[in-house]
Amino acid sequence: MYGRRFCPAAGRNAITDGPEPQHRVFLDPTGNHTFICVSNGNNYYLSATSPRPKRLLRWQGIQVTAIAFAEDRCTEAGVRSVIVGSTTGQLYEAAVD
């Protein structure tokens, strides 16, 4: 099950292809969407139907500490609205399809 995504023995994972610590993982209320936020500011999105995580280039450099989901705006097709909090205290509104 974990073959390509994570190799505990080597301390490496497919998202970062290296020994990069994961900072936070957020799952939406429907269980279809996951945000993986790494301490170096790299952020990724993974839906239940996608085979690999997608890097969120617009979120580059933002160290995410919290994500608030609008439950009525989360569908299987995408996340229409989230509020993202960062380590600097800034708030962002975002959507991922």
Side-chain angles (χ1 to χ4, degrees):
M1 177 172 145
Y2 294 105
R4 293 187 59 191
R5 292 191 185 251
F6 182 69
C7 178
R12 301 170 69 86
N13 63 59
I15 294 170
T16 60
D17 195 31
E20 187 174 50
Q22 291 185 1
H23 185 61
R24 303 215 193 267
V25 177
F26 302 95
L27 182 67
D28 81 309
T30 66
N32 290 313
H33 309 282
T34 305
F35 291 89
I36 302 154
C37 304
V38 185
S39 59
N40 69 357
N42 289 334
N43 300 292
Y44 302 88
Y45 166 74
L46 180 65
S47 73
T49 58
S50 63
R52 294 190 50 87
K54 173 185 169 186
R55 190 166 184 190
L56 300 171
L57 297 176
R58 290 187 179 204
W59 294 23
Q60 180 66 32
I62 299 172
Q63 291 184 338
V64 177
T65 58
I67 296 181
F69 296 90
E71 196 168 341
D72 60 334
R73 310 279 285 167
C74 296
T75 64
E76 286 187 29
V79 179
R80 300 284 181 231
S81 180
V82 294
I83 302 295
V84 178
S86 72
T87 56
T88 60
Q90 295 178 314
L91 296 175
Y92 304 89
E93 184 176 7
V96 178
D97 294 321

